[in-house]
Amino acid sequence: MNSQPDRFVLPFIRRSMIGAAVLALCAGNALAVNPFVVKDIRVEGIQRTEAGTVFSYLPVRVGETFDDAKATTAIKALFATGFFKDIRLEEENGVLVVLVEERPAISSVDFTGTKEFEKDMLVKALREIGVGETKIFDKAAVDRAEQELKRQYLSHGLYGVKITTTVTPIERNRVTIMFNVDEGDIAKIRQISFVGNKAFSDKELREILQLSKSGWFTWYSKADQYSKQKLTGDLESIKSLYLNNGYLEANVESTQVSITPDKRDIYLTINITEGEKYTVSGVKLEGEMFGREEELSKLILLQPGKPYSGEAQEATIKLIADRLGTFGYAFANVTANPEINRDKREAKFTFFVDPGKRAYVRHMNISGNTVTRDEVIRREFRQFESSWYDANRVKLSRDRVDRLGYFKEVKVETPESPGATDQVDVNMVVEEKPTGNFMIGGAFSQSEKFTFTASISQANFAGSGNTIGLELNTSKYNKTIAFSQTNPYFTDDGISRSFQVYLRTMRPPAVNLGLYTVRQTGGTMTFGVPFSEADTVYFGAGLERTQMETDITSPQLYKTFVAQNGGPADGIGKAQTNSIPLTAAWGRDTRDSAVTPTRGRYQRANLEIDALGDSKYYRMVYEHQWWRPVTRWMTLALRGEFDYGKGIGGSNYPVFKNFYAGGIGSVRGYESSSLGVVDPTYYDAVGGSKRIIANAELQFPFPGGGTDRSLRWFTFIDGGQVFQEKAKIRLDQMRYSAGIGLSWISPVGPLKLSYAKPLNALPGDKLERFQFQMGTGF
């Protein structure tokens, strides 16, 4: 209760005696409280705290005896809440009076002068450590917050930062906290020096470091801003460089980091002990190998007579451990023990194999899938619960999930199950990415006026793994309405089903002088049957009606088609064909990622034939893509495509099935679909029945891209050409280009830019050096 009874009933000296006694007890003195029976309990001094909160911490209730032990416990308990900065206990005619002085509450936390960090992020971070709006003010917590804030600035190279904290009392026992920040200038690395290096020059060592002195691009990469974490990584890179080149005993002895008095310049000095360069004199295996000594010996990459390589040693350990992992030995331990002969500068290595216990998988756990359903991921698993652990199957499961293309990143960990030495849990952590793609474009030109194009697709609709797509195009010269749907698991054993219905109207681009109109209406259905982990065969059928209309300006190829398919003899007019295309295809996918592959292959072969309809043709497409890491940060990507079409039974290959080349996706630097055969009258590209495309790229992570693997720049060489049905394929007619580009799966969708220089363009070729594709994701 909070009533205020008459305080003159009991003399003041009697009332204050308990407070004095309690203080003495807390200080360890002998003064004690005279016990009394509590008739009532009253709390005074509270403003925000509920009286019930205070009552809940008191170790005494009405009717109980209050003594020195309970007084000490009560004082400690109330102070421990952190709500009060002063507490007194008094007795007034049998009433226990608890007098408190509350700590002020924080009304607001604000910052001035912060440029390096977002204010909202700082407010959130400080709230997590107890300094935030409505929190109880604690001077010690505010001091910790100030030091943590200063530490964050130091980690960003702002060594001259000054922080002044102002605490201002306001009404109702509250305070405002203001952090006044003077960030100062960012300290830049002015020099990196090395001491003790002989085998490698200063320049060679600087090239492998993340840190660098200020240069042209460091304003973006921030490599000239000192970071202890980056320095630690750089020291490991230096040591690895020496170990990989035979310096078995090389070591980075010490580093000195010096900052100028004005805290603007940093000087790094790295002291290296190289030691001698060693040659491998011999290698052998020891330990439990289950009779597989010969098999495991072939995995040893260190070769007698060759210089020692730390990279080869670590790779050997991993290969042997991974191989044992395929037999269920998830915790196999392989160690390399060198016997060093310093006189001969040789080292003999013994790889000791300890397979440990054979383990089986207890649980397969998935986390991070906020959109994608569990079953969509689990059906890609090839490692199963309650079966022996198999490292290859775990890796295959990870790769298959990554190849779905639904996730930015897929990670797998295999920790030991708690309380068991022969069980592991396979924990897969995924990070969702936008799987929808919305592309929109508009343009205004003298010939086409306003045009609008749009397409929308969702590769993981509602997390089901199904893909749906809708394409719209309202250009004056090209109109398209198409709907498609793919179910990758139409049956439980992985047979997929895809279908598409479409209506297309195609006319030549505005830059072409010859006119024609092609209208196509149709639909297709395709089933995919997997027959291995990487291979799938497809079978499909479709119906398609094609209507073509020409005039006197039309290219001769289109006039010929009209004349041969029921149109006027001169080819000027209308013709219609009905096609029943049957398809058979094969695909193989061994990429380590569908989004940003660095290793593996992607192959597809497709045969389309119409022997039942009017067109009478067959069409073959073969594509092969190949990725291989050249270094830990550079990937070589090669792509080749060969396409061939021909009429059946004396029929000409239908012109509306022609292949085209030029632009992003084929030969950059040339206008889209501009290469190949041209109409002799107007020199407009009309495509052809044969096509060759070849691309080579060296892909690099973009400086400053952080952990975003999709942000890459690349250099490339392209080649390609299109040939007519009766013409021979001549490589001397190929067109080539080279250039640089940038690709990024950005938060708003895929983006690809390229700048190319045609290498052997001829008069009449249509060039376009800068090209781009972009869309938006959802």
Side-chain angles (χ1 to χ4, degrees), residues 70-265:
K70 290 184 178 180
T72 303
T73 304
I75 292 287
K76 291 181 178 179
L78 292 176
F79 269 120
T81 64
F83 300 155
F84 313 110
K85 65 179 181 180
D86 188 29
I87 302 167
R88 288 185 299 137
L89 300 178
E90 297 182 355
E91 186 262 342
E92 184 178 311
N93 196 25
V95 176
L96 177 62
V97 183
V98 182
L99 298 100
V100 297
E101 183 179 352
E102 290 181 321
R103 293 181 184 273
I106 298 174
S107 174
S108 64
V109 177
D110 204 355
F111 302 84
T112 61
T114 54
K115 301 176 183 177
E116 186 71 12
F117 302 100
E118 293 183 4
K119 186 179 295 186
D120 291 344
M121 184 196 72
L122 293 176
V123 170
K124 182 179 179 181
L126 293 190
R127 184 171 181 81
E128 291 177 354
I129 61 175
V131 180
E133 188 176 344
T134 73
K135 296 284 187 179
I136 300 299
F137 172 72
D138 185 344
K139 182 62 168 60
V142 173
D143 291 341
R144 289 195 301 271
E146 182 179 316
Q147 293 303 314
E148 176 61 22
L149 187 60
K150 184 175 293 185
R151 189 184 69 81
Q152 291 298 325
Y153 273 102
L154 295 179
S155 69
H156 281 234
L158 291 160
Y159 292 93
V161 65
K162 296 179 181 178
I163 301 175
T164 303
T165 305
T166 303
V167 180
T168 305
I170 60 175
E171 75 280 358
R172 291 187 289 130
N173 196 27
R174 296 178 300 159
V175 297
T176 61
I177 302 176
M178 175 67 73
F179 292 94
N180 302 284
V181 181
D182 179 5
E183 295 183 341
D185 296 324
I186 297 178
K188 302 293 181 65
I189 298 175
R190 297 302 175 191
Q191 184 176 325
I192 302 178
S193 303
F194 301 91
V195 177
N197 56 308
K198 299 177 183 178
F200 300 99
S201 66
D202 288 9
K203 180 180 179 181
E204 290 174 311
L205 293 177
R206 290 192 188 103
E207 286 178 349
I208 66 172
L209 303 182
Q210 296 183 61
L211 295 174
S212 70
K213 64 179 183 180
S214 298
W216 286 100
F217 296 104
T218 53
W219 64 271
Y220 177 77
S221 66
K222 303 186 186 303
D224 59 348
Q225 297 181 17
Y226 171 75
S227 164
K228 186 176 181 180
Q229 292 80 8
K230 286 185 179 179
L231 178 60
T232 300
D234 285 343
L235 298 182
E236 288 298 321
S237 297
I238 293 172
K239 187 173 181 179
S240 295
L241 176 65
Y242 276 96
L243 291 176
N244 293 339
N245 286 273
Y247 293 89
L248 180 59
E249 298 178 306
N251 194 26
V252 178
E253 294 295 337
S254 62
T255 57
Q256 287 84 43
V257 181
S258 304
I259 187 169
T260 56
D262 61 6
K263 298 184 178 181
R264 292 186 176 182
D265 298 331

